[in-house]
Amino acid sequence: MEEVLIDFEKAGGLVPAIVQDWKTGDVLMVAYMNAESWAKTRETGKACFWSRSRRKLWLKGETSGHVQIVREAYLDCDGDALLLKVEQLGGAACHTGYRSCFYRKIGEQGVEIVGERVFDPKEVYGG
Amino acid sequence: MEEVLIDFEKAGGLVPAIVQDWKTGDVLMVAYMNAESWAKTRETGKACFWSRSRRKLWLKGETSGHVQIVREAYLDCDGDALLLKVEQLGGAACHTGYRSCFYRKIGEQGVEIVGERVFDPKEVYGG
């Protein structure tokens, strides 16, 4: 086995982590990890990212309870991207209440909502 | 329908584009697009990225013939990430010859190659 060498330095300390439902294969979201959030993810088995807007560690689901249990993790050929296969607690990954953050399909004329809304954000995060 | 508004400015002109096999749901790779490569992708129906290392437009498969025909495209909640569902010509997305760039599974002890090698890079790109 080779060592897990993640190239965090290539893009300023962050790598994208694609989150995929481990059973359905649906892509749920993409977020960013730094070395610390990756270590936390490994340690806890729950997806932990780096929030670029809040500039702090972000344990996914900390507020909503919609934690992601990491079932499998993969590293790409260049060592600068991660793929996590997760069990999404609460059924939805997106803060808007949709199952996947990619709930808008791009068509010729514009975007169309095709995703499934699982919860009402007002009830989860407060109105 | 809403307008397709992609926030290229949030991360210096680039957004990550996750590429997924439109039939199997396998995540094949992640790359980056700027406004120009997105326009090219829309115009041609083939995935075109921005190469961060070569600093130029990168029509995926230009050398190898392993072009990605875009069957569907999705925009995420924040408008700063794309998901492409593609038909991968030649059966492999990765320049190393594996079907997916995420051919290395991360285990307790290190990474293990679990992907399927479809071609020999020497034969495709020259030795």
Side-chain angles (χ1 to χ4, degrees):
Chain A
M1 282 213 183
E2 293 169 53
E3 212 183 327
V4 185
L5 291 172
I6 305 177
D7 185 358
F8 286 108
E9 290 321 305
K10 190 167 176 183
L14 299 179
V15 298
I18 300 160
V19 181
Q20 189 178 26
D21 184 294
W22 74 309
K23 284 204 169 153
T24 64
D26 291 339
V27 173
L28 300 176
M29 58 183 279
V30 60
Y32 295 85
M33 285 193 181
N34 60 4
E36 190 186 356
S37 61
W38 169 244
K40 191 91 180 165
T41 299
R42 292 279 274 172
E43 182 196 321
T44 62
K46 297 169 187 168
C48 178
F49 305 104
W50 175 257
S51 168
R52 294 181 301 170
S53 52
R54 288 176 285 153
R55 302 197 61 76
K56 61 173 200 168
L57 277 191
W58 160 36
L59 173 61
K60 171 71 187 165
E62 203 168 19
T63 308
S64 64
H66 297 172
V67 167
Q68 295 172 336
I69 310 291
V70 179
R71 296 294 180 174
E72 294 174 4
Y74 296 82
L75 183 61
D76 84 339
C77 49
D78 295 327
D80 61 3
L82 292 162
L83 171 64
L84 307 179
K85 297 200 181 186
V86 308
E87 181 183 347
Q88 175 64 63
L89 302 190
C94 188
H95 71 287
T96 58
Y98 288 95
R99 176 161 171 64
S100 164
C101 292
F102 295 96
Y103 61 86
R104 298 186 293 173
K105 188 172 177 179
I106 301 174
E108 289 292 323
Q109 308 300 323
V111 294
E112 183 191 358
I113 292 177
V114 294
E116 176 197 353
R117 201 160 212 164
V118 175
F119 68 83
D120 179 348
K122 280 189 202 147
E123 284 175 19
V124 170
Y125 298 100
Chain B
M1 284 215 181
E2 293 169 54
E3 212 182 324
V4 185
L5 291 173
I6 304 177
D7 185 356
F8 287 107
E9 291 320 306
K10 189 166 176 182
L14 299 178
V15 299
I18 300 160
V19 181
Q20 189 178 28
D21 184 292
W22 75 309
K23 284 205 169 153
T24 65
D26 291 341
V27 173
L28 300 175
M29 58 183 277
V30 60
Y32 295 85
M33 286 192 180
N34 61 4
E36 191 185 357
S37 60
W38 168 244
K40 193 90 179 167
T41 300
R42 292 279 273 174
E43 181 195 322
T44 62
K46 296 169 186 166
C48 179
F49 304 105
W50 174 257
S51 167
R52 294 179 302 168
S53 53
R54 287 176 285 154
R55 303 197 61 76
K56 61 173 200 169
L57 277 191
W58 163 34
L59 173 61
K60 171 71 187 164
E62 203 168 21
T63 308
S64 63
H66 297 173
V67 166
Q68 295 173 335
I69 310 291
V70 179
R71 295 294 181 175
E72 293 174 6
Y74 296 81
L75 184 61
D76 84 339
C77 49
D78 295 326
D80 60 4
L82 291 162
L83 171 65
L84 308 180
K85 298 200 180 185
V86 309
E87 181 182 346
Q88 175 65 64
L89 302 190
C94 189
H95 70 288
T96 60
Y98 289 95
R99 177 162 169 65
S100 163
C101 291
F102 296 96
Y103 61 88
R104 298 186 294 174
K105 188 172 175 178
I106 301 173
E108 289 292 324
Q109 308 300 324
V111 295
E112 185 192 356
I113 291 178
V114 294
E116 176 197 352
R117 200 160 213 164
V118 176
F119 68 82
D120 179 347
K122 281 188 200 147
E123 286 175 17
V124 170
Y125 298 101

